Short mmCIF file of all heavy atoms in Angstrom, two decimals:
data_model
loop_
_atom_site.label_atom_id
_atom_site.label_comp_id
_atom_site.label_asym_id
_atom_site.label_seq_id
_atom_site.Cartn_x
_atom_site.Cartn_y
_atom_site.Cartn_z
N TRP G 10 76.70 104.67 113.08
CA TRP G 10 75.94 103.87 112.07
C TRP G 10 74.42 104.12 112.07
O TRP G 10 73.82 103.96 110.96
CB TRP G 10 76.20 102.39 112.33
CG TRP G 10 75.53 101.47 111.40
CD1 TRP G 10 74.44 100.72 111.56
CD2 TRP G 10 75.95 101.30 110.01
NE1 TRP G 10 74.10 100.05 110.38
CE2 TRP G 10 74.95 100.36 109.41
CE3 TRP G 10 76.93 101.78 109.13
CZ2 TRP G 10 75.01 99.92 108.09
CZ3 TRP G 10 77.03 101.26 107.87
CH2 TRP G 10 76.05 100.45 107.37
N GLU G 11 73.85 104.54 113.12
CA GLU G 11 72.42 104.71 113.20
C GLU G 11 71.79 105.52 112.10
O GLU G 11 70.73 105.17 111.54
CB GLU G 11 72.00 105.26 114.59
CG GLU G 11 70.53 105.32 114.84
CD GLU G 11 70.21 105.87 116.24
OE1 GLU G 11 71.15 106.02 117.04
OE2 GLU G 11 69.01 106.02 116.53
N PRO G 12 72.31 106.72 111.76
CA PRO G 12 71.66 107.54 110.74
C PRO G 12 71.83 107.10 109.34
O PRO G 12 71.30 107.78 108.42
CB PRO G 12 72.19 108.92 111.00
CG PRO G 12 73.58 108.74 111.59
CD PRO G 12 73.50 107.47 112.31
N HIS G 13 72.70 106.04 109.12
CA HIS G 13 72.97 105.66 107.75
C HIS G 13 71.69 105.10 107.00
O HIS G 13 71.73 105.14 105.74
CB HIS G 13 74.06 104.59 107.71
CG HIS G 13 75.49 105.14 107.73
ND1 HIS G 13 75.95 105.86 108.85
CD2 HIS G 13 76.44 105.15 106.88
CE1 HIS G 13 77.17 106.26 108.69
NE2 HIS G 13 77.57 105.79 107.39
N GLY G 14 70.71 104.74 107.66
CA GLY G 14 69.52 104.28 106.90
C GLY G 14 68.55 105.38 106.64
O GLY G 14 67.52 105.14 106.00
N THR G 15 68.82 106.59 107.06
CA THR G 15 67.88 107.73 106.83
C THR G 15 68.26 108.42 105.48
O THR G 15 69.32 108.36 104.96
CB THR G 15 68.02 108.71 107.98
OG1 THR G 15 69.33 109.28 108.01
CG2 THR G 15 67.67 108.14 109.23
N SER G 16 67.32 109.12 104.97
CA SER G 16 67.50 109.72 103.57
C SER G 16 68.31 111.05 103.68
O SER G 16 68.93 111.41 102.72
CB SER G 16 66.09 110.05 103.10
OG SER G 16 65.38 110.88 103.87
N TRP G 17 68.33 111.59 104.89
CA TRP G 17 69.10 112.89 105.00
C TRP G 17 70.60 112.69 105.16
O TRP G 17 71.37 113.61 105.05
CB TRP G 17 68.53 113.77 106.05
CG TRP G 17 68.52 113.11 107.45
CD1 TRP G 17 67.42 112.40 107.93
CD2 TRP G 17 69.53 113.10 108.45
NE1 TRP G 17 67.73 111.90 109.21
CE2 TRP G 17 69.04 112.28 109.52
CE3 TRP G 17 70.82 113.56 108.49
CZ2 TRP G 17 69.79 112.01 110.63
CZ3 TRP G 17 71.57 113.31 109.62
CH2 TRP G 17 71.07 112.57 110.69
N TYR G 18 71.07 111.48 105.50
CA TYR G 18 72.45 111.31 105.81
C TYR G 18 73.17 110.89 104.50
O TYR G 18 72.90 109.82 103.90
CB TYR G 18 72.64 110.12 106.86
CG TYR G 18 74.05 110.08 107.43
CD1 TYR G 18 74.44 110.94 108.45
CD2 TYR G 18 74.97 109.31 106.92
CE1 TYR G 18 75.66 110.89 109.03
CE2 TYR G 18 76.28 109.21 107.41
CZ TYR G 18 76.59 110.05 108.46
OH TYR G 18 77.87 110.00 108.97
N ASN G 19 74.12 111.68 104.05
CA ASN G 19 74.73 111.40 102.74
C ASN G 19 76.21 110.96 102.94
O ASN G 19 77.17 111.67 102.88
CB ASN G 19 74.75 112.80 101.97
CG ASN G 19 73.43 113.24 101.64
OD1 ASN G 19 72.58 112.43 101.12
ND2 ASN G 19 73.17 114.52 101.72
N CYS G 20 76.31 109.54 103.31
CA CYS G 20 77.62 109.07 103.44
C CYS G 20 78.34 108.88 102.17
O CYS G 20 79.57 108.79 102.09
CB CYS G 20 77.47 107.63 104.17
SG CYS G 20 79.00 106.78 104.39
N ASN G 21 77.50 108.84 101.04
CA ASN G 21 78.18 108.65 99.68
C ASN G 21 78.67 109.95 99.09
O ASN G 21 79.29 109.98 98.13
CB ASN G 21 77.12 108.15 98.81
CG ASN G 21 75.88 109.12 98.55
OD1 ASN G 21 75.42 109.61 99.55
ND2 ASN G 21 75.51 109.30 97.33
N ARG G 22 78.38 111.07 99.75
CA ARG G 22 78.76 112.44 99.23
C ARG G 22 80.20 112.76 99.88
O ARG G 22 80.37 112.91 101.04
CB ARG G 22 77.71 113.50 99.61
CG ARG G 22 77.98 114.80 99.00
CD ARG G 22 76.77 115.63 99.07
NE ARG G 22 75.73 115.14 98.40
CZ ARG G 22 74.43 115.57 98.47
NH1 ARG G 22 74.18 116.59 99.20
NH2 ARG G 22 73.46 115.00 97.66
N TYR G 23 81.12 113.03 98.96
CA TYR G 23 82.53 113.24 99.43
C TYR G 23 82.66 114.63 99.83
O TYR G 23 82.21 115.59 99.09
CB TYR G 23 83.50 112.89 98.19
CG TYR G 23 85.01 113.24 98.57
CD1 TYR G 23 85.57 112.37 99.43
CD2 TYR G 23 85.63 114.28 98.06
CE1 TYR G 23 86.92 112.51 99.81
CE2 TYR G 23 86.99 114.51 98.40
CZ TYR G 23 87.58 113.57 99.25
OH TYR G 23 88.94 113.74 99.56
N ASN G 24 83.23 114.94 101.05
CA ASN G 24 83.46 116.24 101.53
C ASN G 24 84.96 116.48 101.57
O ASN G 24 85.64 115.90 102.39
CB ASN G 24 82.85 116.42 102.97
CG ASN G 24 82.91 117.80 103.46
OD1 ASN G 24 83.80 118.56 103.25
ND2 ASN G 24 81.74 118.15 104.15
N GLU G 25 85.42 117.28 100.68
CA GLU G 25 86.88 117.53 100.49
C GLU G 25 87.47 118.10 101.75
O GLU G 25 88.57 117.63 102.20
CB GLU G 25 87.10 118.49 99.37
CG GLU G 25 88.56 118.84 99.09
CD GLU G 25 89.36 117.69 98.61
OE1 GLU G 25 88.74 116.73 97.91
OE2 GLU G 25 90.58 117.61 98.83
N SER G 26 86.84 119.06 102.42
CA SER G 26 87.41 119.77 103.52
C SER G 26 87.51 118.80 104.72
O SER G 26 88.52 118.91 105.50
CB SER G 26 86.55 120.98 103.90
OG SER G 26 85.26 120.65 104.13
N ASP G 27 86.52 117.88 104.93
CA ASP G 27 86.53 117.05 106.05
C ASP G 27 87.55 115.89 105.85
O ASP G 27 88.19 115.35 106.85
CB ASP G 27 85.24 116.40 106.27
CG ASP G 27 84.20 117.55 106.78
OD1 ASP G 27 84.69 118.57 107.18
OD2 ASP G 27 82.95 117.17 106.65
N ALA G 28 87.72 115.41 104.61
CA ALA G 28 88.58 114.24 104.43
C ALA G 28 89.98 114.47 103.96
O ALA G 28 90.77 113.54 103.89
CB ALA G 28 87.89 113.34 103.37
N LYS G 29 90.28 115.70 103.65
CA LYS G 29 91.62 115.93 103.10
C LYS G 29 92.76 115.54 103.98
O LYS G 29 93.71 114.88 103.55
CB LYS G 29 91.73 117.52 102.77
CG LYS G 29 92.98 117.80 101.93
CD LYS G 29 93.01 119.30 101.58
CE LYS G 29 94.20 119.65 100.79
NZ LYS G 29 95.49 119.35 101.42
N SER G 30 92.70 115.95 105.19
CA SER G 30 93.82 115.66 106.14
C SER G 30 93.95 114.17 106.34
O SER G 30 95.05 113.60 106.33
CB SER G 30 93.64 116.32 107.54
OG SER G 30 92.35 115.94 108.12
N ALA G 31 92.89 113.42 106.56
CA ALA G 31 92.97 111.98 106.66
C ALA G 31 93.48 111.32 105.47
O ALA G 31 94.24 110.42 105.54
CB ALA G 31 91.59 111.43 107.07
N ARG G 32 92.99 111.78 104.25
CA ARG G 32 93.39 111.24 103.03
C ARG G 32 94.99 111.45 102.84
O ARG G 32 95.65 110.49 102.42
CB ARG G 32 92.62 111.81 101.92
CG ARG G 32 93.08 111.21 100.49
CD ARG G 32 92.45 112.18 99.42
NE ARG G 32 93.05 113.55 99.57
CZ ARG G 32 92.59 114.60 98.88
NH1 ARG G 32 91.53 114.50 98.11
NH2 ARG G 32 93.24 115.71 98.97
N ASP G 33 95.46 112.60 103.13
CA ASP G 33 96.71 112.89 102.87
C ASP G 33 97.68 112.12 103.77
O ASP G 33 98.74 111.60 103.36
CB ASP G 33 97.05 114.40 103.11
CG ASP G 33 96.41 115.29 101.98
OD1 ASP G 33 95.98 114.73 100.93
OD2 ASP G 33 96.28 116.53 102.22
N ALA G 34 97.30 111.97 105.06
CA ALA G 34 98.07 111.14 105.96
C ALA G 34 98.14 109.75 105.55
O ALA G 34 99.20 109.13 105.55
CB ALA G 34 97.48 111.34 107.39
N GLN G 35 97.00 109.17 105.07
CA GLN G 35 96.98 107.79 104.73
C GLN G 35 97.77 107.56 103.43
O GLN G 35 98.51 106.60 103.41
CB GLN G 35 95.63 107.25 104.66
CG GLN G 35 95.46 105.70 104.44
CD GLN G 35 94.08 105.22 104.53
OE1 GLN G 35 93.13 105.89 104.11
NE2 GLN G 35 93.87 104.01 105.05
N MET G 36 97.62 108.41 102.44
CA MET G 36 98.26 108.29 101.27
C MET G 36 99.79 108.42 101.41
O MET G 36 100.62 107.77 100.76
CB MET G 36 97.67 109.22 100.20
CG MET G 36 96.25 108.95 99.75
SD MET G 36 96.10 107.23 99.03
CE MET G 36 97.09 107.39 97.59
N GLY G 37 100.08 109.40 102.30
CA GLY G 37 101.53 109.64 102.51
C GLY G 37 102.18 108.42 103.13
O GLY G 37 103.29 107.94 102.72
N SER G 38 101.52 107.80 104.12
CA SER G 38 101.99 106.50 104.72
C SER G 38 102.10 105.45 103.76
O SER G 38 103.08 104.64 103.75
CB SER G 38 101.17 106.28 106.00
OG SER G 38 101.15 107.14 106.92
N ARG G 39 101.07 105.34 102.95
CA ARG G 39 101.15 104.27 101.94
C ARG G 39 102.25 104.35 100.92
O ARG G 39 103.04 103.45 100.62
CB ARG G 39 99.84 104.24 101.11
CG ARG G 39 99.65 103.08 100.13
CD ARG G 39 98.33 103.13 99.40
NE ARG G 39 97.17 103.23 100.21
CZ ARG G 39 96.66 102.14 100.74
NH1 ARG G 39 97.11 100.94 100.45
NH2 ARG G 39 95.56 102.22 101.50
N ALA G 40 102.53 105.62 100.49
CA ALA G 40 103.61 105.87 99.59
C ALA G 40 104.95 105.62 100.27
O ALA G 40 105.86 105.05 99.61
CB ALA G 40 103.53 107.33 99.07
N ALA G 41 105.06 106.08 101.47
CA ALA G 41 106.36 105.77 102.23
C ALA G 41 106.57 104.36 102.46
O ALA G 41 107.71 103.84 102.33
CB ALA G 41 106.35 106.51 103.56
N LEU G 42 105.58 103.67 102.73
CA LEU G 42 105.75 102.16 103.01
C LEU G 42 106.12 101.47 101.59
O LEU G 42 106.94 100.64 101.55
CB LEU G 42 104.36 101.57 103.43
CG LEU G 42 104.36 100.07 103.63
CD1 LEU G 42 105.33 99.64 104.67
CD2 LEU G 42 102.88 99.61 104.08
N GLU G 43 105.44 101.86 100.46
CA GLU G 43 105.72 101.18 99.22
C GLU G 43 107.22 101.48 98.82
O GLU G 43 107.87 100.61 98.24
CB GLU G 43 104.83 101.74 98.18
CG GLU G 43 103.33 101.20 98.34
CD GLU G 43 102.39 101.73 97.33
OE1 GLU G 43 102.79 102.63 96.58
OE2 GLU G 43 101.22 101.30 97.31
N ARG G 44 107.60 102.70 99.07
CA ARG G 44 109.07 103.09 98.70
C ARG G 44 109.95 102.22 99.56
O ARG G 44 110.97 101.84 99.04
CB ARG G 44 109.21 104.50 98.95
CG ARG G 44 110.60 105.05 98.54
CD ARG G 44 110.76 106.56 98.64
NE ARG G 44 111.99 107.05 98.14
CZ ARG G 44 113.13 107.14 98.86
NH1 ARG G 44 113.11 106.78 100.21
NH2 ARG G 44 114.24 107.60 98.34
N TYR G 45 109.77 102.17 100.83
CA TYR G 45 110.61 101.41 101.68
C TYR G 45 110.66 99.91 101.29
O TYR G 45 111.76 99.32 101.20
CB TYR G 45 110.21 101.51 103.15
CG TYR G 45 110.77 100.49 104.05
CD1 TYR G 45 112.04 100.64 104.48
CD2 TYR G 45 110.07 99.36 104.47
CE1 TYR G 45 112.68 99.70 105.35
CE2 TYR G 45 110.66 98.45 105.31
CZ TYR G 45 111.93 98.59 105.77
OH TYR G 45 112.47 97.65 106.55
#
């Protein structure tokens, strides 16, 4: 959390390569849960 107040930290900028695996895992679990 500490660097979130600085101008150089871009938490709002989406990084596809960093987030793809986490997103896929979470969306897959969500879809499986909804189907069940």
